[in-house]
């Protein structure tokens, strides 16, 4: 088992694609292959000290899952299964996908649901991200004037994704003990 686990939910594949892009930057000793949360055992998830978690926002500011018309279960159904886990000692970085033009009033709102749920259970979050460079009205996923994780908008700003990703990975590298 590698040191870092990377898990995502995804409806149309964008969040999966980003997980794969991240994985490409690290060898198998450091990071295991990305897994969709709809087919993850809790024990496997809980075994990592370092986690990168990705989610799109669907519905109206919701986590992906059956309520937001995903074809399979996703974070909505997976998160409650983590209820009894103790995350203390774990370091977690979040990334979220959204559409700032189509959904300016609930831009990347789903990230905060994962953040709040897991933070309450003791995790140390890293990788907060500035709100500069995005145009939106409102987002729940802002704490202390920053997004709680990396925000990517494949619908409107896909040309910025690679650079944002590299900057963010460099930012979280020390906390993850990564050689970047
Ligand atoms: C039905 C639907 C609802 C959406 N709702 C939101 C939303 O509330 N907030 C947001 O920022 N993006 C929203 N989006 C945009 C998605 O988050 C975005 O397209 C994302 O890249 C999808 O990722 P996926 O391909 O991994 O599912 C929505 C997209 C769809 C199709």
């Amino acid at each position: 088992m590698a040191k870092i686990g990377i898990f995502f939910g995804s409806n149309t594949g964008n969040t999966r694609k980003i997980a794969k892009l991240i994985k490409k930057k690290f060898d198998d000793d450091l990071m295991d292959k990305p897994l969709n949360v709809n087919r993850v055992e809790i024990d496997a998830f809980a075994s990592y000290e370092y986690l990168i978690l990705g989610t799109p926002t669907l519905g109206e500011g919701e986590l992906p899952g059956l309520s937001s018309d995903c074809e399979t279960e996703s974070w909505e159904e997976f998160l409650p299964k983590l209820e009894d886990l103790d995350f203390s000692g774990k370091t977690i970085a979040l990334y979220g996908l959204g559409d700032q033009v189509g959904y300016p009033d609930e831009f990347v709102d789903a990230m905060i649901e994962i953040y709040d749920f897991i933070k309450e259970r003791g995790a140390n979050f890293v990788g907060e991200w500035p709100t500069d460079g995005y145009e939106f009205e409102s987002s729940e996923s802002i704490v202390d004037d920053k997004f709680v994780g990396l925000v990517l908008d494949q619908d409107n700003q896909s040309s910025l994704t690679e650079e944002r990703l590299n900057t963010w990975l460099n930012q979280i590298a020390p906390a993850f003990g990564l050689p970047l």
Side-chain angles (χ1 to χ4, degrees):
M1 195 187 95
K3 170 174 156 176
I4 304 169
I6 175 163
F7 297 92
F8 62 89
S10 186
N11 191 35
T12 52
N14 292 337
T15 313
R16 177 192 300 113
K17 187 179 150 201
I18 299 300
K20 286 186 172 172
L21 271 180
I22 294 173
K23 168 61 185 116
K24 260 195 195 161
K25 298 175 190 283
F26 302 99
D27 63 28
D28 292 343
D29 291 340
L30 270 177
M31 193 180 283
D32 279 327
K33 286 202 173 63
L35 282 181
N36 192 314
V37 291
N38 67 19
R39 54 190 190 92
V40 170
E41 297 297 328
I42 306 304
D43 286 352
F45 184 89
S47 60
Y48 293 96
E49 188 183 345
Y50 299 94
L51 289 163
I52 295 180
L53 307 178
T55 188
T57 296
L58 295 175
E60 289 186 21
E62 290 162 45
L63 283 173
L66 299 179
S67 306
S68 54
D69 289 337
C70 291
E71 280 178 21
T72 62
E73 294 190 349
S74 190
W75 279 113
E76 179 192 9
E77 292 78 16
F78 185 68
L79 212 48
K81 296 181 190 166
L82 307 178
E83 187 167 10
D84 295 329
L85 282 189
D86 178 7
F87 282 85
S88 43
K90 295 186 190 294
T91 300
I92 302 187
L94 276 180
Y95 71 93
L97 275 76
D99 171 356
Q100 62 200 289
V101 175
Y103 302 87
D105 296 319
E106 48 261 319
F107 184 44
V108 293
D109 274 5
M111 268 203 306
I112 199 74
E113 297 194 36
I114 299 177
Y115 176 86
D116 282 345
F117 191 94
I118 295 183
K119 194 168 177 69
E120 222 170 79
R121 289 164 177 78
N124 174 39
F125 276 86
V126 297
E128 70 278 2
W129 190 250
T131 56
D132 309 334
Y134 306 87
E135 276 190 45
F136 61 99
E137 291 300 322
S138 169
S139 174
E140 301 270 333
S141 296
I142 296 174
V143 171
D144 294 336
D145 296 328
K146 289 190 168 180
F147 288 120
V148 294
L150 172 66
V151 168
L152 300 173
D153 184 341
Q154 292 299 87
D155 296 284
N156 309 290
Q157 295 181 326
S158 60
S159 62
L160 300 179
T161 291
E162 181 73 26
E163 194 191 335
R164 283 173 171 164
L165 203 49
N166 287 336
T167 305
W168 184 70
L169 288 170
N170 277 309
Q171 184 187 315
I172 67 171
F176 269 64
L178 289 173
L180 274 180

